[in-house]
Amino acid sequence: MKPLSLTIILSGLAVAALPLVAQDRPKPDAATGEIARSGQREDFRTFEAEDGDLAYFADAARLTQEGGEAVYEAVCAGCHMPEGEGAVGAGMYPALAGNEMLEFPEYPIYVIVHGQKAMPPLGSILSDEQVAEVTNYIRSHFGNDYVEGEDGIAATPEDVAGVRP
Amino acid sequence: MSMSRRSLLQMVGLAAGTTAMYQAMTTLGYAQASNYAGPIKLEGDPQGAKVLILGAGLAGMTAALEMRAAGYEVEIIEYREKAGGRCWTLRGGDSYTELGGATQEVEFAEGNYLNPGPWRIPHHHYAVLDYCKRLGVKLEPFIQKNYNAYLHRSEAFDGKPQRFREIATDYRGQISELLAKATDQGALDEEVTEEDKQKLLDSLVEYGMLDENYRYVKSDHTSEYRGYDKWPGGGLNAAPEPSEPISLDRILQSDLWTWLVEAETTHHQSTMFQPAGGMDMIAQGFEREVGDLITYNAKVLSMIEDENGVTVEYEDLEGGGTQTRTGDYCICTIPFSILGQIDHNLSGDKAAVIDSMYYAGSAKFGLEFKRRFWEQDEHIYGGITYTDLPIALISYPPYDFFSDGPGVLLGGYAWGATAYQFNAMQPDERTKWAVEYGSRIHPQYTEEFSNGVSVVWHKVPWVLGCYGIWQDREADYETAARIDGRIALAGEHISYLPGWQEGAILSALDAVERLHAQVTTSNAGDTQ
């Protein structure tokens, strides 16, 4: 029962503050180790959480990871796989690796926001910034090179805002 | 001439339309919640017509069972190595490989299991229940509501789980007190007559466990509902000691009231059922009947119809190369998430609907513990604990109560943004999080956890999600359900019961009836 100690201390504080808590929820701060958002309000009992872990499940309605790589790993990699290799079963999830459809940002932005066939629309769980960042991430990794260089085009949050319904 | 109840209903239906028929059926005690009206009877000779059925889930096997019985030649083509589709159970010794290649070897003890898909059957899902009866599938109660399970929010009550009984009783009592006081003080005089006012007060005293001053207070009476500090016993020192209710403001601020009506929807009201031994007992029941018709390990590549019939190509996943099957007709129960990737020549509007449907993601966890601590330490026997943690809930096994061996909890059932993140993890990592979160409700997790398995539905190779989501069901439903030529589409996705097995079976029965009417009509035409 040792891992409980910190929780009990925090709990004691929470009792006095209870009426305040619901109205004035403390803001999350992964950097200082303060655990405040949904799912992360308590200390960890069974494993040592690293900084990246604290962004997981931080908001029940959306993803809070920041940066293209973190967003990719937290949602896209589930179907397109960690190396963008895609997957095949009775149907398939297309590979993003070496995918020429990613040359221009408009297509992936549209598909991420609105979905396409088996791919669900992710516009409601990702911000404009997250969509733009992950679009640039997949267009500049897995053998794709469409962001940097003379002909490179980087997606912007404004591009994403423009395709939202 | 005697007339069966069903043929009477058919006559009423033909003569007066479906509204009159429904009223007649209700009068005869037949139709209630589900539109299942008893086993279908397919009259008329299909004259040996052959039907290809794609998919050996409940929709496909229902269609196969009924159409073979009606005289059709039937063949089922199935991607998996076994029947059932999402009617699926994982037990010790099973192995499951998800997309991406991660394989989980299930280590559960004998008798324990996880139903990754459907896990409960409402009492008004007449079609599922009737097929269970016909197929000899033993049903037992599924426990949805348990007053001794918990409600939990990380920020409420210092993160300490509260018994459902206490929150539900106190909330009822407190709002009854408020309403009774308002009524008594005349605040509702414009809303209720003087006569009703007294009835309302009487009912609130009863319903809200109020005292003679319309107060909900600590007493033997309220403790009879919310539980005691010391419960009544026998012998010396056996008198009960009442408990202190939780104040209204604490309950309101806790937000725990959000789950009080979970078991109140028609889909969750008692009685609910589950097959003894696992949901796939239903699949096995069907498989006993139609298993001889199924070609397994067959990945459909194309489904093409012309004026003469339907041609289906599939890849034999056991190395047999590309195979071709032909039929006069086809019932395709392949989920739209997969069908949209298969070469077909369905009409353009139908193809557009198929392509517009994605499938919901969700994550389910089966966690095995060395002992049933929830029973032994906390007296929780079946039912569901709700939490705002990412696992969303913990459900306790409603079978093998009081057994000494290990038990399996449904350790989480996540949707939405949470499910996407679980989906992106590898199995070990997912389990690690589910154990962590569960340990915040049951500290025994830390000591007692043994092994776990999880299914994230976007990674399930043969469906790519757990149920179909319509972009615009009102506009598109008829397009999807309509039979244009020789192919009928069926499955839970073509129902108003998404994700429920009842929807799959009702959809299949409806497709079979309409296709059969088409076949027998055109046969009659042929012979003229």
Side-chain angles (χ1 to χ4, degrees):
Chain A
M1 302 313 260
K2 265 173 284 168
L4 289 176
S5 56
L6 181 56
T7 311
I8 290 166
I9 294 165
L10 290 172
S11 298
L13 295 172
V15 175
L18 191 70
L20 264 179
V21 169
Q23 286 158 9
D24 186 24
R25 293 198 163 115
K27 292 286 178 289
D29 188 349
T32 64
E34 241 187 81
I35 298 160
R37 286 189 284 195
S38 172
Q40 310 293 0
R41 295 180 190 109
E42 297 180 58
D43 62 328
F44 284 65
R45 294 160 186 252
T46 60
F47 67 92
E48 197 88 12
E50 293 166 16
D51 275 358
D53 290 335
L54 298 179
Y56 273 79
F57 312 119
D59 184 323
R62 46 198 309 118
L63 273 77
T64 59
Q65 286 82 358
E66 291 175 3
E69 183 176 11
V71 171
Y72 185 84
E73 287 175 357
V75 56
C76 318
C79 297
H80 295 285
M81 299 298 151
E83 301 302 322
E85 68 268 37
V88 179
M92 53 89 89
Y93 290 125
L96 303 179
N99 189 329
E100 292 177 1
M101 301 286 281
L102 302 178
E103 181 175 358
F104 301 104
E106 288 81 1
Y107 176 71
I109 287 173
Y110 186 88
V111 173
I112 292 167
V113 170
H114 294 282
Q116 186 184 72
K117 291 199 171 183
M119 169 145 175
L122 300 173
S124 64
I125 65 165
L126 296 174
S127 67
D128 292 348
E129 287 74 18
Q130 287 171 315
V131 174
E133 285 165 355
V134 82
T135 296
N136 290 332
Y137 180 77
I138 60 175
R139 294 175 60 250
S140 60
H141 288 76
F142 316 132
N144 302 314
D145 186 14
Y146 300 118
V147 177
E148 303 295 331
E150 214 170 290
D151 298 326
I153 308 170
T156 66
E158 291 71 34
D159 296 336
V160 181
V163 308
R164 284 191 184 271
Chain B
M1 169 188 141
S2 73
M3 180 177 275
S4 72
R5 183 161 67 162
R6 187 176 173 84
S7 54
L8 170 66
L9 290 172
Q10 281 168 344
M11 279 184 57
V12 175
L14 287 171
T18 49
T19 306
M21 178 158 147
Y22 183 81
Q23 285 163 355
M25 289 167 80
T26 307
T27 308
L28 293 171
Y30 224 157
Q32 292 176 48
S34 161
N35 63 346
Y36 183 67
I40 62 168
K41 292 193 180 65
L42 302 175
E43 284 161 13
D45 184 358
Q47 299 183 7
K50 181 178 176 186
V51 181
L52 293 177
I53 294 175
L54 309 186
L58 294 198
M61 291 195 288
T62 297
L65 187 156
E66 300 297 349
M67 295 190 88
R68 175 160 71 177
Y72 289 86
E73 183 187 346
V74 177
E75 183 172 355
I76 310 178
I77 296 170
E78 167 57 40
Y79 174 81
R80 299 177 73 198
E81 73 291 352
K82 61 172 167 181
R86 283 164 272 177
C87 174
W88 180 26
T89 299
L90 287 170
R91 301 180 180 81
D94 287 344
S95 171
Y96 165 56
T97 301
E98 63 187 27
L99 286 177
T103 296
Q104 299 176 78
E105 307 290 347
V106 187
E107 296 170 27
F108 296 161
E110 176 85 27
N112 289 339
Y113 60 85
L114 168 71
N115 292 324
W119 52 309
R120 47 194 171 176
I121 305 170
H123 63 272
H124 51 83
H125 280 192
Y126 304 125
V128 174
L129 295 176
D130 192 36
Y131 278 99
C132 285
K133 185 168 171 58
R134 288 162 63 187
L135 298 169
V137 177
K138 186 183 175 194
L139 297 174
E140 62 191 10
F142 173 89
I143 300 174
Q144 174 75 31
K145 185 174 190 172
N146 181 343
Y147 287 83
N148 214 37
Y150 297 120
L151 299 176
H152 170 263
R153 283 190 191 274
S154 307
E155 288 185 354
F157 297 96
D158 320 331
K160 186 173 178 293
Q162 303 295 300
R163 299 284 187 181
F164 182 96
R165 179 183 53 248
E166 295 177 7
I167 298 297
T169 307
D170 289 348
Y171 191 52
R172 196 172 102 198
Q174 309 280 10
I175 58 179
S176 296
E177 176 179 322
L178 275 186
L179 184 54
K181 282 179 175 165
T183 306
D184 190 44
Q185 290 162 10
L188 300 179
D189 283 357
E190 290 187 8
E191 314 292 329
V192 291
T193 64
E194 189 61 30
E195 189 189 358
D196 284 352
K197 181 175 168 180
Q198 196 50 53
K199 283 284 184 197
L200 177 59
L201 286 168
D202 291 349
S203 76
L204 289 169
V205 166
E206 180 85 21
Y207 180 74
M209 305 147 281
L210 308 182
D211 68 9
E212 64 282 7
N213 297 315
Y214 303 127
R215 291 179 311 160
Y216 177 76
V217 293
K218 176 179 180 176
S219 68
D220 283 347
H221 181 54
T222 56
S223 290
E224 210 173 321
Y225 294 81
R226 74 178 311 284
Y228 301 83
D229 267 359
K230 183 185 165 208
W231 292 60
L236 275 175
N237 296 319
E241 290 171 14
S243 59
E244 187 70 55
I246 302 166
S247 67
L248 178 62
D249 65 320
R250 287 198 82 191
I251 294 178
L252 290 174
Q253 291 297 326
S254 75
D255 285 347
L256 293 183
W257 43 264
T258 51
W259 292 296
L260 292 179
V261 295
E262 285 288 323
E264 306 291 320
T265 72
T266 52
H267 265 132
H268 302 94
Q269 287 170 7
S270 296
T271 305
M272 299 197 80
F273 296 101
Q274 64 173 15
M279 188 56 78
D280 76 351
M281 291 297 173
I282 300 179
Q284 291 180 30
F286 273 105
E287 202 173 11
R288 283 193 294 274
E289 294 293 321
V290 301
D292 58 314
L293 305 177
I294 305 174
T295 299
Y296 295 99
N297 300 300
K299 174 177 170 171
V300 173
L301 304 173
S302 68
M303 173 181 76
I304 304 295
E305 61 179 323
D306 59 28
E307 62 273 23
N308 299 314
V310 181
T311 302
V312 171
E313 283 187 321
Y314 67 85
E315 179 191 349
D316 178 347
L317 298 173
E318 290 179 311
T322 301
Q323 303 284 327
T324 302
R325 290 288 183 276
T326 56
D328 299 304
Y329 301 93
C330 174
I331 292 186
C332 175
T333 70
I334 296 175
F336 283 1
S337 49
I338 307 291
L339 184 57
Q341 304 184 26
I342 288 170
D343 186 23
H344 64 73
N345 64 345
L346 296 167
S347 66
D349 58 346
K350 211 177 272 253
V353 175
I354 292 166
D355 290 351
S356 75
M357 185 179 283
Y358 70 95
Y359 277 56
S362 95
K364 256 188 181 174
F365 299 86
L367 305 178
E368 183 165 72
F369 296 87
K370 291 173 227 162
R371 65 184 182 94
R372 297 166 78 101
F373 58 80
W374 52 93
E375 296 182 358
Q376 294 163 5
D377 304 349
E378 297 164 275
H379 311 289
I380 296 171
Y381 306 98
I384 298 173
T385 282
Y386 292 96
T387 173
D388 70 339
L389 292 169
I391 52 175
L393 58 76
I394 295 171
S395 177
Y396 310 92
Y399 58 93
D400 291 347
F401 295 116
F402 303 104
S403 61
D404 287 327
V408 168
L409 296 178
L410 175 62
Y413 189 15
W415 297 87
T418 304
Y420 283 114
Q421 292 169 81
F422 280 127
N423 189 66
M425 293 177 177
Q426 296 303 307
D428 285 352
E429 203 184 347
R430 297 196 293 260
T431 301
K432 182 182 84 170
W433 281 94
V435 169
E436 165 62 28
Y437 287 129
S439 78
R440 299 182 190 181
I441 295 171
H442 294 288
Q444 300 98 319
Y445 265 47
T446 318
E447 287 292 312
E448 307 293 350
F449 176 70
S450 167
N451 68 89
V453 61
S454 61
V455 171
V456 286
W457 278 89
H458 277 145
K459 272 184 177 160
V460 175
W462 34 273
V463 58
L464 309 182
C466 59
Y467 69 88
I469 295 181
W470 293 85
Q471 299 280 345
D472 186 347
R473 183 163 60 182
E474 294 303 320
D476 296 340
Y477 193 83
E478 194 271 339
T479 304
R482 183 187 73 213
I483 303 173
D484 289 335
R486 295 172 171 272
I487 298 174
L489 308 180
E492 61 76 26
H493 47 296
I494 306 179
S495 80
Y496 279 79
L497 294 161
W500 291 97
Q501 298 174 117
E502 183 79 358
I505 293 180
L506 292 177
S507 168
L509 290 174
D510 177 62
V512 164
E513 282 187 315
R514 285 183 290 124
L515 190 61
H516 180 67
Q518 180 181 323
V519 171
T520 49
T521 306
S522 78
N523 281 351
D526 291 346
T527 55
Q528 273 170 4

